[in-house]
mmCIF file of all heavy atoms in Angstrom:
data_model
loop_
_atom_site.group_PDB
_atom_site.id
_atom_site.type_symbol
_atom_site.label_atom_id
_atom_site.label_comp_id
_atom_site.label_asym_id
_atom_site.label_seq_id
_atom_site.Cartn_x
_atom_site.Cartn_y
_atom_site.Cartn_z
ATOM 1 N N THR M 18 -2.226 22.489 25.770
ATOM 2 C CA THR M 18 -2.173 23.335 26.912
ATOM 3 C C THR M 18 -2.027 24.792 26.587
ATOM 4 O O THR M 18 -1.308 25.165 25.711
ATOM 5 C CB THR M 18 -1.017 22.922 27.879
ATOM 6 O OG1 THR M 18 -1.152 21.546 28.095
ATOM 7 C CG2 THR M 18 -1.000 23.701 29.128
ATOM 8 N N VAL M 19 -2.919 25.645 27.211
ATOM 9 C CA VAL M 19 -2.914 27.041 27.018
ATOM 10 C C VAL M 19 -2.510 27.763 28.271
ATOM 11 O O VAL M 19 -2.924 27.396 29.314
ATOM 12 C CB VAL M 19 -4.273 27.520 26.586
ATOM 13 C CG1 VAL M 19 -4.376 28.998 26.395
ATOM 14 C CG2 VAL M 19 -4.789 26.835 25.296
ATOM 15 N N PHE M 20 -1.604 28.757 28.142
ATOM 16 C CA PHE M 20 -1.248 29.594 29.298
ATOM 17 C C PHE M 20 -2.210 30.773 29.379
ATOM 18 O O PHE M 20 -2.446 31.422 28.386
ATOM 19 C CB PHE M 20 0.235 30.081 29.077
ATOM 20 C CG PHE M 20 0.711 30.970 30.121
ATOM 21 C CD1 PHE M 20 1.051 30.434 31.340
ATOM 22 C CD2 PHE M 20 0.841 32.312 29.997
ATOM 23 C CE1 PHE M 20 1.548 31.254 32.422
ATOM 24 C CE2 PHE M 20 1.294 33.121 30.985
ATOM 25 C CZ PHE M 20 1.653 32.612 32.209
ATOM 26 N N VAL M 21 -2.700 31.008 30.545
ATOM 27 C CA VAL M 21 -3.700 32.057 30.811
ATOM 28 C C VAL M 21 -3.186 33.091 31.750
ATOM 29 O O VAL M 21 -2.644 32.745 32.793
ATOM 30 C CB VAL M 21 -5.020 31.478 31.367
ATOM 31 C CG1 VAL M 21 -6.126 32.570 31.474
ATOM 32 C CG2 VAL M 21 -5.514 30.328 30.440
ATOM 33 N N LYS M 22 -3.258 34.393 31.375
ATOM 34 C CA LYS M 22 -2.797 35.454 32.271
ATOM 35 C C LYS M 22 -3.978 36.191 32.811
ATOM 36 O O LYS M 22 -5.111 36.059 32.341
ATOM 37 C CB LYS M 22 -1.943 36.446 31.425
ATOM 38 C CG LYS M 22 -0.614 35.796 30.948
ATOM 39 C CD LYS M 22 0.286 36.693 30.147
ATOM 40 C CE LYS M 22 -0.074 38.047 29.844
ATOM 41 N NZ LYS M 22 0.919 38.804 29.083
ATOM 42 N N ASN M 23 -3.731 37.040 33.817
ATOM 43 C CA ASN M 23 -4.747 37.877 34.438
ATOM 44 C C ASN M 23 -5.908 37.109 35.101
ATOM 45 O O ASN M 23 -7.092 37.495 35.023
ATOM 46 C CB ASN M 23 -5.321 38.875 33.404
ATOM 47 C CG ASN M 23 -4.282 39.809 32.904
ATOM 48 O OD1 ASN M 23 -3.348 40.263 33.646
ATOM 49 N ND2 ASN M 23 -4.384 40.158 31.697
ATOM 50 N N VAL M 24 -5.592 35.929 35.657
ATOM 51 C CA VAL M 24 -6.560 35.149 36.394
ATOM 52 C C VAL M 24 -6.833 35.868 37.723
ATOM 53 O O VAL M 24 -5.859 36.246 38.446
ATOM 54 C CB VAL M 24 -6.002 33.784 36.619
ATOM 55 C CG1 VAL M 24 -6.971 32.939 37.443
ATOM 56 C CG2 VAL M 24 -5.712 33.043 35.324
ATOM 57 N N THR M 29 -10.466 29.816 41.878
ATOM 58 C CA THR M 29 -10.001 28.461 42.163
ATOM 59 C C THR M 29 -9.850 27.740 40.838
ATOM 60 O O THR M 29 -10.233 28.154 39.818
ATOM 61 C CB THR M 29 -10.990 27.708 43.055
ATOM 62 O OG1 THR M 29 -12.193 27.504 42.333
ATOM 63 C CG2 THR M 29 -11.245 28.434 44.364
ATOM 64 N N ASN M 30 -9.156 26.557 40.987
ATOM 65 C CA ASN M 30 -8.994 25.686 39.777
ATOM 66 C C ASN M 30 -10.350 25.364 39.214
ATOM 67 O O ASN M 30 -10.510 25.302 37.940
ATOM 68 C CB ASN M 30 -8.258 24.423 40.151
ATOM 69 C CG ASN M 30 -6.807 24.741 40.461
ATOM 70 O OD1 ASN M 30 -6.164 25.671 40.029
ATOM 71 N ND2 ASN M 30 -6.155 23.806 41.214
ATOM 72 N N LEU M 33 -11.904 28.323 37.290
ATOM 73 C CA LEU M 33 -11.273 28.503 35.962
ATOM 74 C C LEU M 33 -11.711 27.387 34.988
ATOM 75 O O LEU M 33 -12.015 27.705 33.838
ATOM 76 C CB LEU M 33 -9.723 28.470 36.154
ATOM 77 C CG LEU M 33 -8.876 28.705 34.913
ATOM 78 C CD1 LEU M 33 -9.178 29.992 34.228
ATOM 79 C CD2 LEU M 33 -7.445 28.495 35.192
ATOM 80 N N MET M 37 -13.585 28.078 31.423
ATOM 81 C CA MET M 37 -13.001 27.718 30.142
ATOM 82 C C MET M 37 -13.729 26.656 29.421
ATOM 83 O O MET M 37 -13.524 26.469 28.217
ATOM 84 C CB MET M 37 -11.552 27.291 30.415
ATOM 85 C CG MET M 37 -10.712 28.394 31.112
ATOM 86 S SD MET M 37 -10.685 29.953 30.180
ATOM 87 C CE MET M 37 -9.312 29.578 29.072
ATOM 88 N N TYR M 45 -7.821 19.689 32.436
ATOM 89 C CA TYR M 45 -7.588 20.258 33.745
ATOM 90 C C TYR M 45 -7.383 21.758 33.600
ATOM 91 O O TYR M 45 -7.025 22.236 32.527
ATOM 92 C CB TYR M 45 -6.454 19.609 34.497
ATOM 93 C CG TYR M 45 -5.087 19.813 33.866
ATOM 94 C CD1 TYR M 45 -4.452 21.032 34.098
ATOM 95 C CD2 TYR M 45 -4.508 18.826 33.132
ATOM 96 C CE1 TYR M 45 -3.147 21.183 33.520
ATOM 97 C CE2 TYR M 45 -3.206 18.970 32.598
ATOM 98 C CZ TYR M 45 -2.569 20.202 32.823
ATOM 99 O OH TYR M 45 -1.296 20.372 32.264
ATOM 100 N N ALA M 46 -7.545 22.471 34.707
ATOM 101 C CA ALA M 46 -7.233 23.910 34.844
ATOM 102 C C ALA M 46 -6.402 23.993 36.148
ATOM 103 O O ALA M 46 -6.839 23.606 37.211
ATOM 104 C CB ALA M 46 -8.475 24.732 34.912
ATOM 105 N N LEU M 47 -5.190 24.584 36.004
ATOM 106 C CA LEU M 47 -4.262 24.654 37.191
ATOM 107 C C LEU M 47 -3.763 26.042 37.359
ATOM 108 O O LEU M 47 -3.000 26.559 36.537
ATOM 109 C CB LEU M 47 -3.160 23.634 36.969
ATOM 110 C CG LEU M 47 -2.121 23.574 38.072
ATOM 111 C CD1 LEU M 47 -2.778 23.038 39.381
ATOM 112 C CD2 LEU M 47 -1.028 22.634 37.657
ATOM 113 N N ILE M 48 -4.147 26.692 38.423
ATOM 114 C CA ILE M 48 -3.686 28.058 38.761
ATOM 115 C C ILE M 48 -2.278 27.920 39.362
ATOM 116 O O ILE M 48 -2.079 27.015 40.222
ATOM 117 C CB ILE M 48 -4.682 28.749 39.729
ATOM 118 C CG1 ILE M 48 -6.007 28.925 39.004
ATOM 119 C CG2 ILE M 48 -4.085 30.097 40.203
ATOM 120 C CD1 ILE M 48 -7.058 29.542 39.822
ATOM 121 N N CYS M 49 -1.394 28.763 38.927
ATOM 122 C CA CYS M 49 0.009 28.798 39.403
ATOM 123 C C CYS M 49 0.065 29.410 40.818
ATOM 124 O O CYS M 49 -0.445 30.570 40.988
ATOM 125 C CB CYS M 49 0.937 29.570 38.432
ATOM 126 S SG CYS M 49 0.967 28.846 36.834
ATOM 127 N N ILE M 50 0.650 28.756 41.734
ATOM 128 C CA ILE M 50 0.756 29.212 43.096
ATOM 129 C C ILE M 50 2.184 29.512 43.474
ATOM 130 O O ILE M 50 3.073 28.702 43.206
ATOM 131 C CB ILE M 50 0.211 28.130 44.107
ATOM 132 C CG1 ILE M 50 -1.258 27.819 43.709
ATOM 133 C CG2 ILE M 50 0.320 28.543 45.555
ATOM 134 C CD1 ILE M 50 -2.262 28.863 43.920
ATOM 135 N N SER M 57 -1.999 32.783 44.724
ATOM 136 C CA SER M 57 -2.041 32.749 43.295
ATOM 137 C C SER M 57 -1.088 33.725 42.655
ATOM 138 O O SER M 57 -0.923 34.886 43.172
ATOM 139 C CB SER M 57 -3.475 33.019 42.781
ATOM 140 O OG SER M 57 -3.469 33.216 41.421
ATOM 141 N N LYS M 58 -0.478 33.326 41.590
ATOM 142 C CA LYS M 58 0.399 34.233 40.817
ATOM 143 C C LYS M 58 -0.450 35.079 39.770
ATOM 144 O O LYS M 58 0.118 35.899 39.092
ATOM 145 C CB LYS M 58 1.464 33.470 40.123
ATOM 146 C CG LYS M 58 2.525 32.856 40.984
ATOM 147 C CD LYS M 58 3.585 32.224 40.204
ATOM 148 C CE LYS M 58 4.746 31.719 40.996
ATOM 149 N NZ LYS M 58 5.857 31.107 40.188
ATOM 150 N N GLY M 59 -1.688 34.686 39.635
ATOM 151 C CA GLY M 59 -2.518 35.401 38.609
ATOM 152 C C GLY M 59 -2.396 34.736 37.193
ATOM 153 O O GLY M 59 -2.767 35.349 36.256
ATOM 154 N N THR M 60 -1.713 33.605 37.115
ATOM 155 C CA THR M 60 -1.613 32.906 35.885
ATOM 156 C C THR M 60 -2.042 31.408 36.045
ATOM 157 O O THR M 60 -2.204 30.911 37.187
ATOM 158 C CB THR M 60 -0.111 32.925 35.398
ATOM 159 O OG1 THR M 60 0.653 32.337 36.408
ATOM 160 C CG2 THR M 60 0.360 34.338 35.097
ATOM 161 N N ALA M 61 -2.265 30.763 34.931
ATOM 162 C CA ALA M 61 -2.754 29.350 34.972
ATOM 163 C C ALA M 61 -2.412 28.607 33.672
ATOM 164 O O ALA M 61 -2.105 29.282 32.688
ATOM 165 C CB ALA M 61 -4.176 29.358 35.236
ATOM 166 N N PHE M 62 -2.546 27.323 33.738
ATOM 167 C CA PHE M 62 -2.446 26.542 32.573
ATOM 168 C C PHE M 62 -3.762 25.676 32.425
ATOM 169 O O PHE M 62 -4.281 25.209 33.472
ATOM 170 C CB PHE M 62 -1.294 25.469 32.723
ATOM 171 C CG PHE M 62 0.030 26.156 32.712
ATOM 172 C CD1 PHE M 62 0.667 26.524 33.790
ATOM 173 C CD2 PHE M 62 0.646 26.410 31.394
ATOM 174 C CE1 PHE M 62 1.944 27.119 33.715
ATOM 175 C CE2 PHE M 62 1.897 26.999 31.393
ATOM 176 C CZ PHE M 62 2.532 27.360 32.444
ATOM 177 N N VAL M 63 -4.344 25.669 31.231
ATOM 178 C CA VAL M 63 -5.575 24.953 30.986
ATOM 179 C C VAL M 63 -5.266 23.992 29.861
ATOM 180 O O VAL M 63 -4.811 24.350 28.761
ATOM 181 C CB VAL M 63 -6.720 25.911 30.600
ATOM 182 C CG1 VAL M 63 -7.978 25.171 30.311
ATOM 183 C CG2 VAL M 63 -6.970 26.957 31.688
ATOM 184 N N LYS M 64 -5.523 22.731 30.110
ATOM 185 C CA LYS M 64 -5.379 21.713 29.047
ATOM 186 C C LYS M 64 -6.669 21.352 28.370
ATOM 187 O O LYS M 64 -7.589 20.908 29.048
ATOM 188 C CB LYS M 64 -4.713 20.471 29.655
ATOM 189 C CG LYS M 64 -4.420 19.374 28.528
ATOM 190 C CD LYS M 64 -3.551 18.341 29.068
ATOM 191 C CE LYS M 64 -2.133 18.707 28.729
ATOM 192 N NZ LYS M 64 -1.181 17.608 28.860
#
Side-chain angles (χ1 to χ4, degrees):
T18 303
V19 176
F20 179 72
V21 182
K22 295 180 358 180
N23 298 325
V24 176
T29 65
N30 291 336
L33 182 61
M37 300 304 273
Y45 68 77
L47 182 63
I48 294 175
C49 299
I50 303 294
S57 169
K58 291 183 175 183
T60 58
F62 291 94
V63 179
K64 182 168 269 193

